[in-house]
Amino acid sequence: MLTSQRLLIVFIDNSSTLPQKKRPKYTPPCKRRKLAANGRKCVYLVPQDRVWKDEWFHIKFEENERNCAHKELLVLDLNGTLVWRGPRKKNKSRDGYPRPFLNEFLKFAVDNFAVMVWSSAQPASIADMLNKMLSPYHKQFIRVWDRRFCDIEGEYFAKSRTVKDLERIFNGFSLADSPNFNVYGTYNGYTGMCSDAKGKWTIENTVIVDDSASKTALQKDNHIFISPFKDPLRTNPDGSPADNQLLKLKEYLEGYTAHKEQYPALLDYLKTHPWLEFCNSVQVHSE
């Protein structure tokens, strides 16, 4: 005799007794920046420069560019290239060290090129580096461009990837064209360029010196890659500075200024005399 069997399945809802994962509490960007300012771990930059009012006016960069007789433009990065800035310290100013032979290099640079600084740092940080480590040569620069002039892939106050597109220099890009022109809430018409000099600088007569290949990826032929300056206290056994990159760069550019008539443009010199080959093969000594 066949008997039917039935299977009884009982579902017990014990979800209320299981530990629940808490959804991370949303922290708005303004609060994240406050956390960063208090020393808490945060991916956002510290907007310590909210009161920045474009003090570049006091140095008359626009006038320098208008009166500049040089036909070649040297674009210089700051942190990691010309100087080293240590990490932020609570209630203390950041340590800073000029790269060895910086003054010697800057004197040569302003005597032979139009010189501008382009850094992805915030403007007040740039002003601090210029005043403390590049004075008095920075007063002869034709422009100082900060983070607002970069192409930023992400938020301005985040550790976003930044790109320095030299076409912005060639095409007359000004601060008014930047989506971040008023990020500090103090925009007063500062342009960051001399309108009279529009078209003076071209891809043929411009070189950028930077320790980042990604930031200069759009114009690789115009980029002189200088090794990052990370250890300002390192010395040779005889006590001399171990880092001589700026001496090598000075000698490399002297090769152009001494034989300028042989090259139709600065870019031709860069292509026929690769910087990395020169840097790896030449030994230089300070005078």
Side-chain angles (χ1 to χ4, degrees):
M1 181 177 180
L2 298 176
T3 60
S4 62
Q5 296 181 350
R6 295 182 179 179
L7 178 63
L8 178 63
I9 300 177
V10 179
F11 293 94
I12 301 176
D13 183 6
N14 61 352
S15 59
S16 60
T17 62
L18 294 176
Q20 300 292 314
K21 289 185 177 181
K22 292 184 178 181
R23 177 177 296 180
K25 184 179 179 181
Y26 173 73
T27 305
C30 59
K31 181 67 176 297
R32 286 179 237 178
R33 291 193 282 269
K34 289 181 180 179
L35 293 176
N38 292 329
R40 298 270 297 277
K41 185 177 180 181
C42 182
V43 297
Y44 279 72
L45 301 177
V46 180
Q48 77 278 11
D49 313 320
R50 283 290 191 183
V51 296
W52 176 257
K53 295 182 180 179
D54 285 318
E55 298 173 7
W56 309 133
F57 276 128
H58 300 302
I59 303 183
K60 307 295 184 183
F61 292 120
E62 184 175 346
E63 184 176 329
N64 290 348
E65 185 169 10
R66 181 179 295 110
N67 299 328
C68 182
H70 298 301
K71 297 181 179 180
E72 294 84 19
L73 176 62
L74 188 60
V75 184
L76 302 175
D77 178 47
L78 282 177
N79 193 28
T81 299
L82 300 184
V83 303
W84 177 86
R85 294 189 86 205
R88 290 185 177 87
K89 299 179 180 180
K90 190 174 182 179
N91 300 325
K92 292 183 179 180
S93 60
R94 298 175 67 176
D95 294 330
Y97 293 88
R99 196 164 197 157
F101 313 108
L102 176 60
N103 285 343
E104 186 175 342
F105 170 75
L106 288 177
K107 183 180 186 307
F108 163 78
V110 297
D111 286 345
N112 293 276
F113 295 88
V115 180
M116 69 172 282
V117 155
W118 192 354
S119 169
S120 59
Q122 297 187 66
S125 297
I126 295 175
D128 184 61
M129 287 185 274
L130 293 180
N131 291 326
K132 290 182 178 179
M133 292 177 278
L134 276 73
S135 180
Y137 299 103
H138 72 290
K139 295 181 181 180
Q140 300 180 54
F141 295 168
I142 65 164
R143 300 185 190 184
V144 172
W145 279 15
D146 52 65
R147 188 174 185 82
R148 295 170 295 176
F149 291 85
C150 297
D151 185 6
I152 303 176
E153 299 178 2
E155 294 189 43
Y156 182 88
F157 286 109
K159 288 287 187 179
S160 306
R161 179 175 181 263
T162 56
V163 176
K164 300 174 183 178
D165 185 359
L166 295 180
E167 288 293 339
R168 293 190 170 188
I169 298 175
F170 310 149
N171 296 335
F173 184 91
S174 77
L175 185 56
D177 300 313
S178 170
N180 300 302
F181 77 98
N182 198 32
V183 70
Y184 301 107
T186 57
Y187 179 70
N188 55 6
Y190 172 71
T191 62
M193 52 87 69
C194 175
S195 58
D196 297 342
K198 184 177 180 180
K200 182 176 182 179
W201 315 117
T202 68
I203 195 74
E204 300 292 332
N205 66 3
T206 301
V207 60
I208 182 168
V209 181
D210 203 300
D211 68 319
S212 171
S214 63
K215 291 180 181 179
T216 59
L218 294 180
Q219 291 91 13
K220 295 180 180 179
D221 290 340
N222 298 75
H223 178 211
I224 292 180
F225 174 80
I226 191 168
S227 61
F229 180 44
K230 296 181 178 180
D231 190 354
L233 302 180
R234 187 167 64 93
T235 60
N236 294 318
D238 62 359
S240 61
D243 188 296
N244 63 358
Q245 284 281 289
L246 292 182
L247 275 185
K248 288 188 176 183
L249 180 58
K250 175 177 175 288
E251 184 171 322
Y252 175 74
L253 293 174
E254 283 175 337
Y256 170 72
T257 58
H259 306 93
K260 190 182 298 187
E261 68 282 354
Q262 299 179 15
Y263 305 98
L266 175 57
L267 185 59
D268 294 310
Y269 177 78
L270 299 180
K271 289 181 177 180
T272 56
H273 297 75
W275 155 250
L276 289 180
E277 290 184 12
F278 175 90
C279 187
N280 294 330
S281 62
V282 174
Q283 296 293 326
V284 296
H285 303 280
S286 59
E287 297 178 357

